[in-house]
Structure formats: C-alpha cells, structure tokens
Amino acid sequence: MRDLVRRRVAAAASLVLVAGGLVLTPSSPARATTTKLQTVVSGNARFQVLSPTLIRTEYSPGGRFTDKDTFNVIGRDDFAPTRFARRISQGWLTIETGAATLRYRVGSGPFTADNLTVRLKAGRQTVTAAPWAGLGAPDCAPGALCEAEALALNGVSVATDHRDFTGQGFAAGFEGTGTSLAFAVTPAAAGAQQLTVRYANSTGGDGQNVARTLTVTVDGVAAGTLTLPPTANWDTWGLASVPLNLTAGRHEISLVRTATDSGNANVDSLAVLAPGAAYPAPTPPSPQPCAFGAVCEADTGAQAGGARLADDHNGYSGDGFVAGLERTGAGVALTVTGVPAAGDYRVQLRYANGQAGSQPVQTRTMTVTANDATPVTATLPSTSGWDYWRTQSVLISLRAGTNTVALGCPTDQSCNVNLDTVAVTAKDAPVLAPHAPLGGYRRGLDNVNGGARTYGGLLYQDGWSLLDDSASALYRQSTGAVTPRPAAGQDGYVFAYGQDYRRGLRELSTLTGPTKLLPRWAYGVWYSEYYDRTAAEFQDIVSRFKSEGVPLDVLVVDTDFKAPDKWNGWGVDATRFPDWNAFAAKLRSQGVRTGLNVHPSILGSDPKFARAQEIAKGKLQRTGCNGGPDCYVFDFGDPDQLKAYFWLHDQIGAKKLDFWWLDWCCDASRSTQAGVTPDAWINQKYADETGFAFSRAYGSLQAGGYGNPGPVPAGPWADKRTTLHFTGDTISNWETLRFEVGYTPGESSATGLAAISHDIGGHTGGLQEPGSEPGSTKLPDDLYARWVQMGTFQPIDRLHSNHSDRLPWQYGEAANASAKKFLNLRRKLQPYTYAAAAEATRTGTPIVRAMYLAYPGEQDAYATAGSQYMYGRDLLVAPVTTPGTTASTSVWFPPGSTWTDYFTGKRYAGGTTASVTTTLDTMPVFVRSGAPRP
C-alpha cells in the first residue's frame, strides 16, 4: 500500500515521516519541519492532528510555520498522540481521524470555502463544513452596493439603534485606533475608481460634532483619506467619496481609523464606482432553491405578507431569521428541489416561540402547504425566549423533483414565531441541525435592559467550529513576552466535536488553557454596593451580617474611597478610611476578604501624576473622562505606561488587599499590544499581581463602545485563564433577570470561562422604589428575593447595585426571610460549588451548564436553555423570573433520571414537563436521582 501511495504522489511531492505523520513537501526547494506533533505538510499548507476531533489548519505564503505558543494557544503539545490515515487522490489530500475527515486541494493556496472541507457526524447527522468560509475580506463587485455590516469588521460593531439604514444594520463606532472595515474588489481593467461610502456623523461620545476622517488602504498601503462631514443627526445619512487608482485583479481595501484619524462615525454601505457614477440602490436578495435533505435558511425563500429578514435575537444560523409572521397571509415559500420520488416526507422547522408583546407564552401553529395540496398544521410549543430555538417536523406529501413548500399563518393569533431554517427530509431522517451558535459571549452587559446581542464562540449545534488564531501574537509563558508573528497567514483549529459538546470544551481547555480556579472564599457571599461609606459604616454592616445570621465572605469597596478624586484618585481618603490596612486586617480576622475598585485614569492635578507621567516617559494621553477634561489614560500595551499604572496601585498602600476590581467602565484606557485582546492582556497583569483579575473580558472598550461591545480579532480565548468576569451595569427589572438565567451558561459554553459574576439585583434603573438610606432606592420585594435566589446558583453570588438596597434586612418580612435563607444556602453549597469549579478547571465543563451539554440529543434541551440549567453535576435549577409572591414555573425534567425537589422532596419523572409553583421561600431546584442532596 505504501508503494502505491508513493507512486501516486511522486510526481508532485516527496515523502517524509515525522512523528507518526506523513509530511508532504515540494520536491524543490525542500523545507525541514521540526515539531513533535503529528503533521502533514502540503506545499504552504500544514495540518497537525491534535486529537480525533481537533485539527490545526495552517497556511503560510512562504512556508514558514509557527511552532511557538501564541497568547491564545498554550497547550498545543498537551494532547495524546492520535492515529490517523492520510492519502492523496485526484489532487485532494485527505486526512481521516475516525471522527473527522479533512480534505484539502493540493496546491490550491490559502484556505477557502472551495478548497478545504471537514466531514463529521453530529449524532445521526452527517455534516460537511467549510471552516474557512466567510473569513477574510469578502468580495464586493465593482459598481455594486455592499452593506457594511456584511464586510470584515475589526473592532467595529454591527448596530441597529438608528433609523433609515439599509440591509440589516450598519458598522458603528470606529472608536478606537486600529478599528477597521475591509473588503475585496476585483476590477476587470486598470484605471481610476472612486470609493463612495454612505455614512452618518453627528455628535460623538467625545462631545464633538465635526468632520471625521478614516484612512483608506489598498492592499495594506495607505491610498487616501475619507473625510466625512457632519450629517443632520445619527438618523441622517450622507455620501462621501475618495478617489482610487486600481490595477486589474483582486485588491483588499480597508477603512481604518489610524492614530491620526478621528473616527466616531457610522458606515451603512459602500461601493467602488467609476468616477462620478451615481450611488447604487440596494438590491433585494432573490429567493434561492432549497435542496432536498439540506438545511436551508428560511429567509432565502420568497417572503410575503409582512414576513421579513431580522437578526435582533441570538442563536440563529446564517444571516438572520424570518420575523413578521404575525398575521394571516404572512409567510414564506421555498422551492424544494431534488425530491427523489413521490411520497411522504418530513418538513423540519427550526423556530423560536417566546412571549409576543403582552400575550401569554403559548403554543403556536403554522400551516405547511406542499404545492396546491391541503395545508398541514405544524404545532410549535413555546421556547424559553426569543434567543432559544427548537426543531419540530410535520409530514407532507411531495411529488418527485421540484416542489413548492409554503409556510404561513392560519390566523392573526396563530403564528407569532420566528423561523430560522427549513429542511425537507426522508421520514426516518434525523433532525438536521444548522450551523447555529450555542450560547454566546459579550464583553459586558452594561446598560442591558432585558436582552442584548451576543457573539458565537466555540459551540455550534451542528458540531463544529473554527478557532481562528491567525491574529494572535507569539507568547512565552515563562517570561510573559509577546512578539508579533513573523509573517501573515492563516492559523486555525478545526473542532469537530459533533454532539459531544463537553469534549469540545475539554479540548478548548487543553488548547488555550483551563478556566481559572478561584480561592474557595470567592464562591461564598459577596457584598459590593456602590454607596459612599466609611470604614466604620462598613464594619457595622459586617457586624450586622453576623447578628442577622447571614454569611459574608467578600466585601468590595467601590470608588468613593479614593482621594483626591473619588473616581480616579490614587490614594485612600483618610476621612473615610483612616487606616485601610488595619480595617482590612480586622475583616480578614472575621473571615471577610476585601477588594478595591479601580478606574484606569488619573487627573493631571493628582499629586502622583507627575511621577506617573515620568515613569511613563511622558506618554500618558489627556483625553478627558468621568473625572473631567484634565484626565489622562493609559496604554496597557506600552511597557512604560503599564509600569506607571501599577506603580499607582502601589501608592495606594493597600497591602492587606485580596484583589483589585478593574471597573473598566467609562475611561479611554486601552492596549495597543498587537495580537492580544486588550482585556486579556490587562487581566493577565492583574492575575500576576493578586492571582486573578476581576474585570470585564473578551474585548476592548474601544471595540463598539460601552453599550455595544463587539468582538476583536484575537478572540475571547485567553481570558478564562485569569479572569472572574464582571459582566457590568445592568438594568434592574424582571426582563434582565430572565436574560441572565440563560446568559451565564451560554457564555461559559461559548468561551469556556466558568467564573461569571452578575450584579445580583441589577445595577440601576428599572423597577425602583424609595430606599432605606439617603439617596438610595430598593427593588420590589419579589424581584429582590427572586434575584437573590438565582444568585445562590450562580458561579459568583455578589450583591451589588448603584445606590440601591441589597441587604436582606432592608426588605419586608417575606423577602428578608427568603434572602437570608438563600444566602445561608449559598454558604451550605460552597463545598459543592467549589468542587464544580475545580471540575471546570480540570475538564472544561463549566459550573453553570447549559442543558444541551448533558442532553445534546433532546430538542427540549435547546428550547429550555434560557430558563433552566444544571448547577454542577446534579442540581437542576429553573429560577423564577415572573413577579408575585407565588409563581408557577415550567420545568423540563431530562430523561434518564428521576428529579427530587430540593425543598419539598416531591419527585418528578424524567422526560416530562411540569409547572412548579413556589412562594418566596422556595424556588425550582431539583436533585438528580442517585446523587446526594448537597
């Protein structure tokens, strides 16, 4: 067999064995490859088989591959050897691991949708994926309007919060240096062109209403400046152009905010045109056929009656989903091709069915009509919100060949669902999952009022994903040194976990490093209200915790302790804390750990500023911030400024301190360290100081801004090694509480980070009543009690607010008793929680686990992922998120176990759904059969 393989490839390549893998290298010139990983090299492409379900795909134009660690990938060598087969046939290199089959067209250059695929099994479904599809600069045809939100965005977010945009949104912000938008264009002939942009420019976050600029680059070289005069407001759009001189062939064009540009504009669309040509109108997409046996996007059908493409919820596949199915006549029709023979077939519908306005959550119906036959009714049970999806199917009769399948609303009341995908399959075919993200992440939930856009991470329902590490810098763990990659190229890890989502998380943990295991005390009860208090007043609160019989493990002091400025001073106000270290030492003797709030800025008038600026070698920049216009910020990526920053921490003199809280809220500090996500970089530095970072994660304040944070190219992969994620300042209402129930397991599923900390009770606004202290508010008693209940079963239980009561004794008798009971339960569960956290560090399976991690073959696991989750291995938790002292909560009990109510002892059979009624003294929590009651 080996001789046969040699004969087949001799004309194109020479054969060398390296560490059990077949290395294919061009016969001339030869290159030596040194790596202990099992490797296949084909020209300028290299593949490393790390496990049966994880393959590294690397393309280097010069054949110079990367064997060093990157800031994201530090565990490449920690996988056990994997046996695999490889062959070349008809110009294709095939690598088979037993769990995945990867194919690459030999000599075809960089990875694309056309030259690299991977095939795997996800349950009974066979999936063929193109992992590198859609990455890089998308093509924009000359003369055509291209929507900005569909282009390659770096640090720029997609937004919809202004009117009259075209397409599905616009590219918002350009707030930070280096943020960019990129696309490719291929003129047929050389000549003069113009780039025209549709934009909005009004008063920005810097308070200015002036002409803004962006730099236009062609193939990485600056080619002009795009000047954007002010428009009437952010809902008004103008056109601006810049001339280009392009040769024939493909060019990559970027709009970049450089250090000399002002940015702060929104871009709706653009076009590369002949000089003076009129700006083109958007072209509505035409309906596309749906192949038999394939997953088809519902929005590619012909929409009618108000049906429309939308993307304002999470968890969908493709570009969005069909919304507007709200009245008789609304619907979508698909042309189904390739039906093998006349007969009965299944139509699979992936949909979300949440609460529609003031209507109660309810089962809905949709008609499915094949050609002109009698409609069939599809019954669509509710899902746990609009971000959560279920697949239902109905039988219909089809003729051989091509058919029209129409989906519609029989009555105005009936539909009210969002439709994501449609598949027409054989009767006995498995449910076909689309490439839809499971869970999602976001830098923070600041200003979130009931819901927010998230970004897909590791897990997808059809069982594969690509971790694109191309942008990540090289990293030496022993020294912390970061260096740029020697050459541009593609470097990505194809995960093919199928329905074994926990395996995917385990391999992510091995590849990028495990989630941080915090000290045992961190899994207790925290108190951190933003309220100006003295040391004596805090001590009184700590004593009150004890006298009321309520445990307290961590006290966080918010920003008012600082001097000379409460926001960004770098000393302790002696009128509030005469001796911080004595105060902290006394609390430590009482079993209470402490943290201090830090804002990353300094006033020019601060007595420590001159020395800090000297240490920074004069590089601190005056930007203005919450402390006023004379405010300077830091570039954490600059070693001198970073040194000055931590020198200021030392000047506070808080030696008896357990951690810093980096409240990277409203200031303009950033990191220009290339190839490292800014949050991950500064969080690593805090972890070096105190063992872990308590901060936001995954991005940068400059990537999309405070309220609309977007992802950055290096991705969310390194933060989990260092960070307790502070999710930020949410609105205090039932809708936000409901959103957080699904958000925590979703974030952990997407990023592998287990330690997530919400403000228990929310931060500000929403449902507020007069509070018990001057200038304070309080929540309605039922909302407070239910939020404390949820916090008991979260990774971190941190009572926090903005001048709003969070202490049990500040509430009425029933809410007080409930909060005390559950905070004491948190203490009782602390060993269980710590064990779950240790398991998360060891295996990658998080503390708070989405239902689909344990039950990937159950549609109910996906549909209920927004309302319930597993807490550790054995506790099923379904927090109450509706008002009233008594509430009924729908709970799905997974099959294979009997579930016992933690509080009442009542048992529920697995594979059933029940309505569970609780008062404020209990909540829906259930113990898996065979497990001890923790």
Side-chain angles (χ1 to χ4, degrees):
M1 176 61 74
R2 181 168 294 176
D3 289 340
L4 176 60
V5 173
R6 288 181 188 274
R7 288 196 299 272
R8 287 179 175 174
V9 302
S14 62
L15 303 183
V16 183
L17 288 174
V18 173
L22 180 63
V23 180
L24 306 171
T25 60
S27 54
S28 178
R31 285 192 304 272
T33 300
T34 58
T35 174
K36 71 178 184 180
L37 295 176
Q38 300 179 142
T39 300
V40 178
V41 176
S42 176
N44 291 330
R46 181 171 76 163
F47 307 92
Q48 293 180 315
V49 180
L50 278 66
S51 85
T53 57
L54 181 58
I55 302 174
R56 184 186 189 187
T57 59
E58 189 180 8
Y59 187 87
S60 172
R64 294 182 294 275
F65 302 115
T66 299
D67 292 318
K68 295 180 180 179
D69 288 344
T70 68
F71 196 79
N72 283 331
V73 174
I74 62 173
R76 197 185 300 123
D77 297 331
D78 296 335
F79 291 85
T82 298
R83 295 180 63 86
F84 65 93
R86 60 279 188 202
R87 67 180 184 275
I88 290 180
S89 177
Q90 297 181 340
W92 286 86
L93 165 67
T94 300
I95 299 172
E96 294 182 348
T97 69
T101 301
L102 183 144
R103 300 180 75 237
Y104 171 68
R105 186 183 294 277
V106 174
S108 59
F111 306 136
T112 67
D114 299 321
N115 70 0
L116 189 145
T117 63
V118 63
R119 189 173 71 248
L120 63 142
K121 295 283 286 188
R124 293 172 52 212
Q125 179 183 0
T126 299
V127 176
T128 299
W132 285 95
L135 298 176
D139 290 327
C140 179
L145 180 145
C146 297
E147 297 291 350
E149 68 273 13
L151 305 180
L153 306 180
N154 172 13
V156 181
S157 293
V158 177
T160 58
D161 55 343
H162 297 297
R163 293 185 293 111
D164 299 335
F165 56 83
T166 59
Q168 294 175 256
F170 52 87
F174 292 92
E175 296 183 30
T177 300
T179 53
S180 64
L181 172 159
F183 64 97
V185 65
T186 306
Q193 306 279 343
Q194 74 178 35
L195 172 65
T196 301
V197 173
R198 187 174 192 257
Y199 74 95
N201 171 20
S202 189
T203 304
D206 57 5
Q208 299 185 66
N209 187 7
V210 297
R212 306 287 186 168
T213 62
L214 294 170
T215 295
V216 179
T217 69
V218 177
D219 300 325
V221 178
T225 297
L226 182 67
T227 301
L228 309 172
T231 56
N233 51 52
W234 287 112
D235 297 323
T236 303
W237 302 87
L239 297 175
S241 299
V242 62
L244 297 176
N245 198 344
L246 301 177
T247 59
R250 191 174 190 271
H251 300 279
E252 291 196 6
I253 299 178
S254 296
L255 301 182
V256 187
R257 179 178 178 176
T258 69
T260 59
D261 289 310
S262 51
N264 284 280
N266 296 334
V267 174
D268 180 39
S269 60
L270 54 79
V272 175
L273 306 169
Y279 195 67
T283 303
S286 58
Q288 301 296 313
C290 175
F292 176 82
V295 177
C296 303
E297 299 296 330
D299 52 86
T300 62
Q303 300 163 31
R308 67 185 188 282
L309 174 65
D311 66 351
D312 55 341
H313 297 295
N314 299 309
Y316 59 83
S317 71
D319 294 329
F321 51 86
V322 174
L325 301 174
E326 299 167 357
R327 59 188 61 86
T328 303
V332 59
L334 293 102
T335 300
V336 179
T337 61
V339 177
D344 292 339
Y345 296 92
R346 288 200 176 275
V347 177
Q348 301 181 7
L349 308 175
R350 186 175 192 258
Y351 70 94
N353 174 10
Q355 184 168 14
S358 60
Q359 300 177 28
V361 176
Q362 58 191 284
T363 296
R364 305 286 186 171
T365 60
M366 175 177 283
T367 55
V368 182
T369 307
N371 304 312
D372 295 322
T374 302
V376 175
T377 299
T379 301
L380 308 177
S382 63
T383 61
S384 54
W386 293 110
D387 294 333
Y388 303 95
W389 305 80
R390 182 199 303 268
T391 300
Q392 292 281 97
S393 65
V394 294
L395 279 174
I396 61 171
S397 295
L398 298 175
R399 61 192 177 216
T402 300
N403 294 255
T404 299
V405 176
L407 314 169
C409 298
T411 68
D412 290 353
Q413 179 75 9
S414 61
C415 271
N416 285 281
V417 297
N418 292 332
L419 186 62
D420 184 32
T421 63
V422 179
V424 180
T425 69
K427 288 191 296 183
D428 58 351
V431 172
L432 300 184
H435 191 60
L438 296 175
Y441 71 93
R442 184 178 169 93
R443 182 176 189 264
L445 303 183
D446 301 291
N447 297 328
V448 165
N449 186 359
R453 182 189 299 268
T454 62
Y455 299 92
L458 177 74
L459 297 186
Y460 282 76
Q461 196 169 347
D462 62 346
W464 70 272
S465 62
L466 176 75
L467 191 162
D468 185 358
D469 197 43
S470 306
S472 186
L474 303 182
Y475 179 57
R476 184 182 293 274
Q477 293 187 70
S478 60
T479 64
V482 172
T483 54
R485 285 181 183 251
Q490 295 170 294
D491 188 4
Y493 296 81
V494 177
F495 287 78
Y497 39 75
Q499 285 194 338
D500 192 351
Y501 304 132
R502 293 177 62 175
R503 176 170 187 156
L505 288 168
R506 182 173 69 249
E507 294 190 335
L508 177 73
S509 179
T510 302
L511 183 68
T512 63
T515 191
K516 182 72 177 178
L517 179 62
L518 305 176
R520 190 179 297 265
W521 48 260
Y523 301 102
V525 175
W526 295 43
Y527 173 67
S528 63
E529 183 184 353
Y530 175 28
Y531 197 95
D532 189 359
R533 304 191 195 279
T534 65
E537 290 168 336
F538 275 118
Q539 181 59 65
D540 288 344
I541 289 174
V542 173
S543 299
R544 184 73 181 269
F545 266 91
K546 184 175 182 180
S547 67
E548 293 280 349
V550 180
L552 179 65
D553 297 273
V554 184
L555 175 71
V556 185
V557 178
D558 214 314
T559 191
D560 290 322
F561 79 91
K562 297 169 189 167
D565 184 85
K566 288 185 177 183
W567 183 262
N568 54 12
W570 290 94
V572 176
D573 185 347
T575 66
R576 291 172 171 79
F577 291 86
D579 187 338
W580 165 265
N581 290 316
F583 167 77
K586 183 175 181 180
L587 262 61
R588 176 76 68 87
S589 72
Q590 297 172 297
V592 179
R593 304 292 180 136
T594 54
L596 286 174
N597 173 285
V598 175
H599 292 115
S601 55
I602 184 171
L603 293 181
S605 59
D606 192 293
K608 298 183 178 69
F609 172 74
R611 177 58 181 149
Q613 183 69 294
E614 181 182 2
I615 295 171
K617 299 181 179 177
K619 290 179 281 189
L620 301 184
Q621 294 186 357
R622 187 175 189 264
T623 62
C625 66
N626 271 24
D630 186 30
C631 182
Y632 291 74
V633 295
F634 302 84
D635 177 356
F636 301 131
D638 176 77
D640 299 319
Q641 296 184 59
L642 186 66
K643 183 178 179 181
Y645 181 64
F646 279 106
W647 175 82
L648 287 168
H649 288 65
D650 293 339
Q651 301 314 297
I652 289 178
K655 300 185 184 304
K656 300 292 184 180
L657 184 75
D658 293 286
F659 60 93
W660 300 100
W661 169 19
L662 176 56
D663 189 9
W664 195 354
C665 160
C666 313
D667 302 336
S669 286
R670 65 199 191 283
S671 173
T672 56
Q673 179 68 259
V676 182
T677 300
D679 284 346
W681 178 248
I682 189 60
N683 290 353
Q684 176 69 62
K685 300 307 173 183
Y686 271 103
D688 292 344
E689 294 284 321
T690 59
F692 69 91
F694 179 39
S695 179
R696 289 168 176 82
Y698 310 134
S700 165
L701 182 61
Q702 284 70 45
Y706 179 61
N708 189 39
V712 296
W717 311 115
D719 296 81
K720 67 180 181 300
R721 304 193 302 254
T722 62
T723 306
L724 164 54
H725 185 199
F726 160 57
T727 60
D729 301 342
T730 55
I731 304 301
S732 296
N733 55 29
W734 290 101
E735 292 79 9
T736 301
L737 170 61
R738 191 172 304 125
F739 176 75
E740 289 181 353
V741 171
Y743 179 83
T744 306
E747 179 185 320
S748 288
S749 295
T751 67
L753 191 151
I756 298 165
S757 176
H758 299 302
D759 292 354
I760 300 303
H763 186 70
T764 192
L767 300 176
Q768 301 285 356
E769 302 172 358
S772 62
E773 300 181 84
S776 179
T777 62
K778 66 185 288 288
L779 304 179
D781 280 24
D782 53 351
L783 179 58
Y784 172 73
R786 297 302 191 182
W787 220 314
V788 171
Q789 288 179 1
M790 187 196 75
T792 302
F793 299 93
Q794 289 287 294
I796 303 298
D797 192 4
R798 183 175 54 86
L799 304 172
H800 183 67
S801 72
N802 176 7
H803 298 78
S804 184
D805 295 349
R806 291 296 179 268
L807 300 169
W809 49 88
Q810 294 171 322
Y811 285 82
E813 182 178 353
N816 180 13
S818 175
K820 287 179 177 177
K821 176 178 180 177
F822 280 90
L823 292 172
N824 275 285
L825 177 58
R826 177 70 179 192
R827 169 63 62 82
K828 180 181 178 181
L829 290 171
Q830 202 164 353
Y832 177 87
T833 304
Y834 185 77
E839 182 182 357
T841 299
R842 187 175 65 254
T843 70
T845 301
I847 301 169
V848 172
R849 307 172 178 185
M851 300 304 298
Y852 44 75
L853 294 186
Y855 304 97
E858 301 290 333
Q859 282 297 310
D860 283 313
Y862 303 93
T864 62
S867 61
Q868 61 184 72
Y869 51 80
M870 297 299 298
Y871 189 68
R873 292 184 177 186
D874 300 317
L875 295 181
L876 172 62
V877 180
V880 175
T881 59
T882 54
T885 57
T886 300
S888 294
T889 304
S890 179
V891 181
W892 171 64
F893 297 99
S897 302
T898 299
W899 301 88
T900 301
D901 191 302
Y902 188 91
F903 300 98
T904 69
K906 183 176 179 180
R907 294 185 178 182
Y908 296 85
T912 65
T913 298
S915 180
V916 178
T917 300
T918 58
T919 55
L920 292 186
D921 64 340
T922 62
M923 69 178 291
V925 178
F926 309 89
V927 184
R928 186 199 306 272
S929 55
R933 181 178 181 273

